[in-house]
Amino acid sequence: MKYDCLIVGAGFAGSVMAERLASQLNKKVLVVEKRNHIAGNAYDEFDEHGILVHRYGPHIFHTNSKEVFDYLSRFTEWIPYEHKVLAMIGNELYPIPINRLTINKLYGLNLSTEKEVKDYFESVREKRFPILNSEDIIVNKVGKDLFEKFFKHYTKKQWNLEPKELSPSVCGRIPIRTNDDCRYFTDKYQFMPRDGYTKMFEKILHHKNIEVILNKDYKTILDSIKFDKMIYTGPIDYFFDFKFGKLPYRSIRFEFRNMNQKHFQETAQINYVDDSVEFTRVVEHKLLSQQKSETTTISFEYPQQEGEPFYPIPTEDNRNQYHLYKKESEKLSNVIFCGRLAEYQYYNMDQVVANTLKNFADITI
Ligand code: FAD
Ligand code: UDP
């Protein structure tokens, strides 16, 4: 069989690229996906209790990019959703990102203005310069105690590394606030796809020029198809048969439980930031979709080394190792490496969509 383009992976990077090539350039595209479903890690489905669950962890769409929002809006209606997360320490819940309410509750204070909170942080912060890692970036803003309570253990559980071994960009994803804004994100566009992510992907991939094959590793079909260009969105080390060694990716074991009660917790996500339990967070799925039901399904996240590669691990060594692969990839003019695994970057969904649209704009085929 002859295609203009072979796309490896049916996640955001692969599916958006397939849609663009098919609809804008009239190219014949084959998408090959090794899992038994489309949508990559954004995959959601109804469980046996009729509750829409995110199989690979909570996926909250947030972006400041009008272009990305407008593009995806062609394939879904949206429900407004602003994510709120609480952090459990002992038996108490505190707003995370750390804000004025967090500080007041934790230390029994009564700070009432942003200036007071700013002064408080100023009094407890430890100046660090340069900011070299994920410990520096937090301690420099709020000092050791808040760092140890909210970041140290969660980070160790999530990555099996100390924050000081990780790039500042990891813990730096979480802002520190002086106001009482309890939202996890402050982006302009914050929504959930009304009918779920998988339904949105079905629409993205619904085109006469797009064929999708599931349950197949692309390497097993390479001999039986012909194509001019490949878009590769899987792990870059696998593409090159691990010639520079295995790149570390972090995985998670998700444990789902249906509870015979209407609600389990007071917000969609609770982070367990101390080391008394092994899991990092508990998600109550129907609070993401605002679905009504008599029972509720929750999931526990146990980070682990083995399993599906979910997170590139942002350390300096890994970055250097990735660059060996990247150099190799630049020698191949007919393969584009795109997405979180292929670029070994801790991207959110909107960043992957933005990059894919940009890659498409630059494509020559
Ligand atoms: P993927 O979704 O990983 O897609 C790559 C696809 O390639 C996969 O389906 C894989 O099976 C397939 N593949 C790999 N190798 C092969 C092969 N050899 N042959 C065939 N197919 C192959 N982002 C947000 O914006 N908001 C969030 O709230 C959010 N929460 C997240 C929570 C978790 C637990 C995780 C892990 C990620 C989260 N993300 C979130 C990030 C989001 O999942 C990614 O940005 C996005 O899914 C990346 O899309 P992608 O196409 O690059 O990769
Ligand atoms: N983090 C933390 N405590 C928290 C939330 C986050 O220490 O309560 C750190 C942790 O290292 C985590 C990183 O910040 O991996 C990024 O958090 P985010 O919620 O963005 O993680 P993701 O949803 O991508 O897993």
Side-chain angles (χ1 to χ4, degrees):
M1 287 288 279
K2 171 84 173 77
Y3 298 90
D4 296 311
C5 204
L6 171 67
I7 298 190
V8 179
F12 270 101
S15 301
V16 169
M17 189 59 102
E19 188 280 326
R20 292 286 80 189
L21 288 166
S23 73
Q24 302 301 299
L25 301 181
N26 197 25
K27 298 295 177 192
K28 284 247 171 291
V29 179
L30 175 65
V31 179
V32 56
E33 167 57 57
K34 75 178 168 58
R35 295 192 229 178
N36 64 1
H37 58 75
I38 58 171
N41 289 336
Y43 177 67
D44 55 13
E45 63 174 350
F46 288 94
D47 69 3
E48 66 267 40
H49 309 281
I51 293 166
L52 186 67
V53 296
H54 293 191
R55 279 292 171 214
Y56 306 101
H59 275 69
I60 292 91
F61 180 76
H62 57 101
T63 191
N64 283 316
S65 163
K66 182 172 182 327
E67 187 195 6
V68 168
F69 180 68
D70 286 348
Y71 172 76
L72 290 177
S73 299
R74 299 179 198 181
F75 310 101
T76 187
E77 304 282 320
W78 302 97
I79 313 172
Y81 174 77
E82 291 187 325
H83 199 45
K84 292 202 174 128
V85 180
L86 292 167
M88 179 81 90
I89 301 178
N91 287 324
E92 288 294 330
L93 291 169
Y94 302 90
I96 176 97
I98 291 170
N99 66 17
R100 184 165 66 81
L101 303 174
T102 316
I103 305 298
N104 280 343
K105 178 166 178 182
L106 189 65
Y107 298 120
L109 297 171
N110 198 14
L111 307 177
S112 53
T113 63
E114 291 206 42
K115 163 99 175 51
E116 283 174 349
V117 183
K118 204 163 156 267
D119 290 347
Y120 179 80
F121 289 148
E122 199 54 49
S123 73
V124 291
R125 70 182 278 240
E126 264 178 35
K127 278 194 186 128
R128 299 263 173 117
F129 184 82
I131 303 291
L132 296 175
N133 57 56
S134 267
E135 179 178 310
D136 289 344
I137 195 164
I138 302 298
V139 170
N140 184 59
K141 288 181 190 159
V142 297
K144 265 280 172 52
D145 194 52
L146 287 166
F147 164 74
E148 281 177 5
K149 285 196 165 73
F150 288 90
F151 290 91
K152 188 176 165 56
H153 307 293
Y154 186 102
T155 299
K156 181 80 196 352
K157 291 194 283 187
Q158 170 72 14
W159 303 96
N160 196 27
L161 290 171
E162 294 295 335
K164 60 172 167 297
E165 297 174 277
L166 284 159
S167 149
S169 62
V170 176
C171 288
R173 283 166 63 88
I174 313 301
I176 304 288
R177 302 200 177 116
T178 49
N179 57 19
D180 52 11
D181 187 345
C182 288
R183 295 171 306 162
Y184 209 60
F185 308 110
T186 50
D187 301 55
K188 181 159 178 207
Y189 304 96
Q190 301 191 48
F191 292 97
M192 287 300 215
R194 189 193 63 194
D195 303 316
Y197 287 95
T198 306
K199 281 274 175 271
M200 178 175 82
F201 274 81
E202 281 171 10
K203 291 215 171 111
I204 293 174
L205 289 166
H206 183 76
H207 193 283
K208 64 178 173 27
N209 292 343
I210 302 177
E211 191 182 324
V212 180
I213 302 181
L214 298 177
N215 299 306
K216 279 264 182 294
D217 187 311
Y218 81 104
K219 286 191 184 176
T220 65
I221 61 160
L222 279 180
D223 288 343
S224 53
I225 54 166
K226 286 198 166 48
F227 54 89
D228 295 330
K229 200 148 209 131
M230 184 195 287
I231 314 293
Y232 182 77
T233 77
I236 191 167
D237 56 347
Y238 179 74
F239 182 93
F240 291 107
D241 299 321
F242 309 110
K243 67 191 280 187
F244 302 117
K246 257 186 134 202
L247 271 173
Y249 292 89
R250 193 76 172 146
S251 193
I252 297 179
R253 177 170 65 83
F254 297 95
E255 199 178 291
F256 284 84
R257 258 186 239 168
N258 182 260
M259 313 295 283
N260 197 11
Q261 60 198 70
K262 253 197 172 134
H263 283 296
F264 179 75
Q265 60 191 28
E266 58 185 86
T267 189
Q269 179 178 324
I270 294 188
N271 288 359
Y272 286 75
V273 295
D274 63 24
D275 56 3
S276 61
V277 292
E278 275 175 41
F279 50 84
T280 47
R281 56 192 185 188
V282 176
V283 172
E284 184 165 4
H285 289 258
K286 74 182 193 185
L287 297 180
L288 299 171
S289 61
Q290 294 153 57
Q291 192 184 342
K292 303 271 178 288
S293 62
E294 288 308 305
T295 69
T296 193
T297 300
I298 57 174
S299 59
F300 296 77
E301 297 188 17
Y302 293 89
Q304 59 181 25
Q305 193 164 339
E306 297 311 318
E308 203 57 55
F310 291 137
Y311 294 84
I313 305 180
T315 69
E316 206 177 319
D317 286 351
N318 298 348
R319 197 82 214 126
N320 293 338
Q321 193 183 353
Y322 162 70
H323 273 288
L324 298 175
Y325 283 112
K326 183 165 163 48
K327 264 206 190 132
E328 207 64 7
S329 73
E330 284 161 359
K331 295 180 193 158
L332 303 173
S333 58
N334 64 338
V335 186
I336 296 174
F337 292 80
C338 188
R340 178 148 145 146
L341 304 171
E343 295 176 71
Y344 202 69
Q345 287 276 359
Y346 191 173
Y347 286 141
N348 291 326
M349 297 182 282
D350 65 317
Q351 294 172 299
V352 171
V353 174
N355 292 345
T356 307
L357 294 175
K358 175 155 190 331
N359 275 326
F360 171 73
D362 296 342
I363 217 164
T364 48
I365 182 171

